[in-house]
Amino acid sequence: MIGRLQKIDSGAGFVIPEEGEEDVFVRARDLGTAVHGDRVAVRIERRAPRGPRGRIVEVLERGRSRLVGVFRRQRGHGWLDVTEPRLDLRVFIPDRDRGEARDGDLAVVDMTDWGDEGPGPAGRVARVLGRPGDPGVDVLAIQVRYGLSDAFPAEVEGAAGALRARGVGPAELVGREDCRDDRVFTIDPVDARDHDDALSIERLDGGGARIGVHIADVSHYVREGDALDAEAWERGTSVYLVDRVIPMLPHGLSSDLCSLVPGEDRLTLAAFLEVDAGGSVTRTRFARAVIRSAHRLAYEEAQEILDDRGTGATRADPGLRDDLRALLRVARAFRERRRARGGLDFDLPEAHVVLDDEGAPIDVRRRERLASHMLVEDLMIATNEAVARWAIEEGVPVPYRIHEEPKEEKLETLRLLADEFGLSFPGRNPRPRDFQRLLDAAKGRVEEAVISLQVLKSLAKARYSASNEGHFGLASSAYLHFTSPIRRYPDLLVHRQLSRWLADPGSTRKLRREALEATARHASAREEHAVRAERDSVDLKKVEFMERHLGDHFAGAISGIARFGLFVRLEAYDIEGVVHVSNLPGDYYVPDATRRVLRGRRTRKTYRLGDAVEVRVARVDREARRIDFDLV
């Protein structure tokens, strides 16, 4: 069987088959020279009730050709201690290949031999990143490890620079709807530089309204097949690391010409959603437009306005408050309708790591979910659905955003967990509203976070597809991504198709299905790659933050149970650590997989998912990204 190897904490791994068959467990001693991420051939040697077990017989393709780690030198030769925990590698570096690396440097190594026919892996130092602990070096190491370049090829930068220099002139405005006199504004994070969506509202007779959702017309500048397009396709998405952004498009476009900054003419593709007094969409119209944003609001400032507190923006433009409130009413109506049809509304804690000027973490805060956040979210979802409906009605090929029904085997743990807490969840074929009812029932309880995380784990991952298969989580019959073309390639492709349709409806058929499927697969893979890099950068800073709390006590809840111990998520921070089973007092504890507990063999004491506990920070391993707790 052919598949990708995923290592686990114990040193063993699973081969995830390419053809959708069962994952194959491989013991550590049966991995050969394969490492996490490699494409391998695995021979199944045994089939058991818990799944097949096998041995890796060949590495077909290495998951990476470069590794990052700490260079060590002793007695005339060196080696690289790879810092990615799941690789667990030490790479030999001949003295002639160490370049400028000194003992203790964080270095990038090109692999020259994986040890398939020799004593072990070997490599050559390609770049010295700096000393561990130097400002920015730790995140730079993650950036390099994931192959994320913040530099663009000269041809791409040149093309972006030429477009930026030309700006928005009379020729760009021909055939566009002029919305420059409308009150249009953006709402984004306070530190955002790429503003790709803006809002407006016009009251209609009878209590209805016309919502203008203006999205940066990136397709006007990034044309199919040019250098900018090829680079954007390859990157697939912008990547938001904890202290930096790796953009999909050069800054001349992403944070300048395409960004809907205030006071400047900007080209957009607009979706005008007409809603009645009850918040139902009665008509949708699309147009190529030009706007001049009146305000750049941060979420916090927008919330102050909604809370009837004056700001500089409302003092200068009193009508802004009424527009925001009217948009909020429509957005809430959209949300209520989505919930009524069964759409999920997650409110999971999200960590925001606060860094000082040197890049050191000084706080880990939970992002507050404001009404202003939900306003934008609801309007963007409604717009994406409107564009998806257009694509289906007109037969226009586009990449859809699909979310498949959860697989039965992933639901059993959730059912057992719900039963453990006395909550109701269907025995078979649950619908989205069943998940929402469970989330609602857990609201405010100590186990709320555990239930929410387990619901998330039980669901399939959303992905892009050339075929519309609906979106389970949103309970939507058709969904796509349209509202962020500066940072997501599928959105750009949808824009390109809508622009073609507005000019000549028949021209949209030129997009071949094979190319669309290839883009959908590639974009899904690049998104997953970006998510892993972003998560790694945040986890790194969380571990670094907890170093200063060694010995401190925290309240938390058991968020996971494994053979080797308990996972505990802290109440004060969105940070998770491990209590190793050997450190549990008074007994020998073993997992009971059917009840999701650890139980003492002698005392029968149990530790269950969701149990409130107090822990002490015992150890922190920055390289392994691990935080060890002891129970208090």
Side-chain angles (χ1 to χ4, degrees):
M1 190 177 293
I2 307 299
R4 290 276 175 187
L5 174 63
Q6 288 189 2
K7 291 281 291 293
I8 57 178
D9 289 339
S10 66
F14 287 89
V15 175
I16 314 302
E18 294 179 346
E19 299 301 323
E21 299 180 52
E22 278 190 285
D23 297 351
V24 182
F25 176 73
V26 182
R27 296 174 299 183
R29 64 180 184 231
D30 294 331
L31 293 173
T33 65
V35 299
H36 177 77
D38 286 350
R39 183 169 179 261
V40 300
V42 59
R43 182 178 64 229
I44 296 175
E45 299 189 326
R46 177 183 171 192
R47 293 191 181 272
R50 297 182 64 182
R53 192 175 80 188
R55 176 188 300 272
I56 291 177
V57 294
E58 185 179 359
V59 177
L60 304 174
E61 178 188 331
R62 291 292 176 180
R64 64 203 72 198
S65 59
R66 282 190 157 186
L67 300 176
V68 178
V70 178
F71 177 78
R72 304 294 185 193
R73 187 166 186 267
Q74 188 177 14
R75 298 174 184 170
H77 69 271
W79 64 89
L80 187 82
D81 284 332
V82 178
T83 51
E84 187 173 352
R86 285 192 290 186
L87 290 184
D88 190 26
L89 276 179
R90 173 173 278 197
V91 180
F92 176 71
I93 311 293
D95 207 43
R96 66 180 182 275
D97 291 331
R98 70 182 181 92
E100 301 298 318
R102 299 171 299 151
D103 185 68
D105 281 347
L106 203 59
V108 182
V109 164
D110 286 333
M111 296 300 295
T112 57
D113 182 4
W114 283 94
D116 294 317
E117 299 178 1
R124 177 188 303 111
V125 173
R127 179 183 175 188
V128 175
L129 301 178
R131 306 292 288 184
D134 286 351
V137 168
D138 48 3
V139 181
L140 176 61
I142 290 174
Q143 180 183 330
V144 171
R145 180 189 307 146
Y146 281 90
L148 303 171
S149 176
D150 48 12
F152 288 84
E155 181 185 10
V156 175
E157 284 285 8
L163 290 168
R164 178 186 181 190
R166 192 173 72 196
V168 179
E172 278 73 34
L173 305 187
V174 175
R176 289 186 178 269
E177 189 166 328
D178 193 341
C179 301
R180 287 176 289 185
D181 290 335
D182 296 347
R183 183 186 290 112
V184 179
F185 48 89
T186 60
I187 308 176
D188 287 295
V190 66
D191 56 353
R193 296 176 61 190
D194 51 347
H195 307 279
D196 50 13
D197 57 87
L199 301 169
S200 65
I201 186 168
E202 175 188 355
R203 280 72 169 180
L204 301 177
D205 293 340
R210 180 182 294 112
I211 311 297
V213 181
H214 289 271
I215 309 299
D217 189 0
V218 179
S219 64
H220 178 80
Y221 301 106
V222 181
R223 302 299 179 92
E224 184 177 15
D226 68 12
L228 283 164
D229 183 48
E231 183 70 14
W233 188 92
E234 187 61 40
R235 292 178 178 237
T237 181
S238 295
V239 185
Y240 295 82
L241 303 181
V242 69
D243 67 348
R244 68 197 69 182
V245 178
I246 314 298
M248 183 179 78
L249 297 170
H251 287 291
L253 295 182
S254 62
S255 56
D256 194 333
L257 185 58
C258 291
S259 187
L260 307 182
V261 294
E264 298 288 344
D265 289 356
R266 288 293 182 259
L267 309 183
T268 68
L269 273 180
F272 295 101
L273 309 180
E274 291 189 16
V275 298
D276 61 22
S280 296
V281 177
T282 58
R283 181 171 180 258
T284 302
R285 181 174 66 86
F286 303 104
R288 297 168 68 244
V290 55
I291 67 166
R292 187 178 293 156
S293 176
H295 304 283
R296 176 172 54 201
L297 302 178
Y299 283 112
E300 292 76 11
E301 183 180 6
Q303 189 61 47
E304 288 179 4
I305 296 171
L306 291 171
D307 292 340
D308 206 22
R309 286 179 282 168
T311 70
T314 54
R315 284 189 287 271
D317 181 6
L320 175 62
R321 176 184 288 108
D322 291 337
D323 279 4
L324 266 174
R325 287 176 173 171
L327 284 169
L328 181 61
R329 284 194 294 272
V330 173
R332 283 176 170 167
F334 286 165
R335 180 172 292 263
E336 288 169 7
R337 288 179 176 275
R338 199 168 66 247
R339 281 182 62 97
R341 76 190 186 202
L344 291 175
D345 182 18
F346 277 102
D347 192 12
L348 291 172
E350 183 182 354
H352 170 57
V353 182
V354 182
L355 306 176
D356 65 16
D357 292 339
E358 297 295 313
I362 56 177
D363 197 4
V364 180
R365 299 173 184 164
R366 293 182 187 272
R367 290 190 190 273
E368 187 179 2
R369 196 179 185 208
L370 303 171
S372 57
H373 288 109
M374 291 186 278
L375 181 157
V376 174
E377 177 184 314
D378 294 334
L379 295 178
M380 294 306 117
I381 290 174
T383 303
N384 287 334
E385 287 188 310
V387 178
R389 287 195 298 271
W390 156 80
I392 290 170
E393 291 168 2
E394 299 295 333
V396 177
V398 293
Y400 291 93
R401 182 71 169 177
I402 69 168
H403 188 219
E404 293 151 308
E405 294 191 6
K407 295 188 182 303
E408 184 60 32
E409 57 267 24
K410 284 195 168 186
L411 295 173
E412 189 56 29
T413 297
L414 181 60
R415 289 194 184 101
L416 291 170
L417 189 61
D419 183 60
E420 187 77 24
F421 295 132
L423 301 174
S424 174
F425 191 72
R428 55 177 61 243
N429 300 324
R431 306 314 302 156
R433 61 171 46 88
D434 296 316
F435 289 89
Q436 188 60 55
R437 286 170 182 155
L438 178 60
L439 292 171
D440 291 342
K443 202 80 173 173
R445 296 175 57 154
V446 67
E447 61 269 12
E448 177 183 356
V450 174
I451 290 283
S452 296
L453 286 169
Q454 194 57 53
V455 167
L456 191 62
K457 288 177 182 178
S458 70
L459 296 173
K461 288 183 180 178
R463 60 184 177 89
Y464 297 104
S465 172
S467 301
N468 174 38
E469 299 175 30
H471 195 291
F472 181 85
L474 293 173
S476 178
S477 60
Y479 194 70
L480 51 68
H481 278 165
F482 169 79
T483 54
S484 295
I486 289 177
R487 62 184 180 91
R488 294 188 304 226
Y489 192 85
D491 303 52
L492 172 57
L493 187 51
V494 173
H495 272 235
R496 200 170 278 155
Q497 287 291 77
L498 179 54
S499 289
R500 286 170 175 161
W501 182 81
L502 289 169
D504 174 15
S507 64
T508 61
R509 308 298 193 278
K510 294 178 181 177
L511 181 58
R512 293 182 297 108
R513 184 175 180 85
E514 296 81 7
L516 185 56
E517 287 175 341
T519 295
R521 287 193 302 271
H522 178 74
S524 298
R526 294 307 300 170
E527 176 190 38
E528 188 174 344
H529 190 72
V531 167
R532 289 199 302 267
E534 291 165 2
R535 188 182 297 130
D536 269 9
S537 73
V538 171
D539 288 348
L540 173 72
K541 292 300 180 183
K542 287 180 179 179
V543 171
E544 187 179 339
F545 175 74
M546 292 307 289
E547 283 182 327
R548 68 185 63 188
H549 289 288
L550 280 169
D552 290 352
H553 291 203
F554 293 94
I558 297 174
S559 56
I561 291 177
R563 178 180 51 79
F564 52 83
L566 309 171
F567 291 94
V568 174
R569 187 172 295 272
L570 302 185
E571 186 179 293
Y573 306 109
D574 181 27
I575 291 177
E576 193 173 62
V578 175
V579 179
H580 197 272
V581 69
S582 62
N583 294 325
L584 292 174
D587 205 343
Y588 181 78
Y589 289 85
V590 293
D592 180 343
T594 61
R595 304 300 292 176
R596 307 301 296 169
V597 301
L598 278 182
R599 179 175 285 110
R601 283 184 172 175
R602 178 175 55 81
T603 63
R604 309 306 291 171
K605 178 177 174 56
T606 58
Y607 293 100
R608 303 174 185 274
L609 278 173
D611 282 356
V613 293
E614 185 179 352
V615 295
R616 180 180 66 87
V617 183
R619 286 165 296 280
V620 173
D621 187 335
R622 194 185 298 194
E623 289 187 7
R625 308 280 164 78
R626 177 168 166 162
I627 303 165
D628 286 342
F629 296 142
D630 288 337
L631 292 182
V632 177

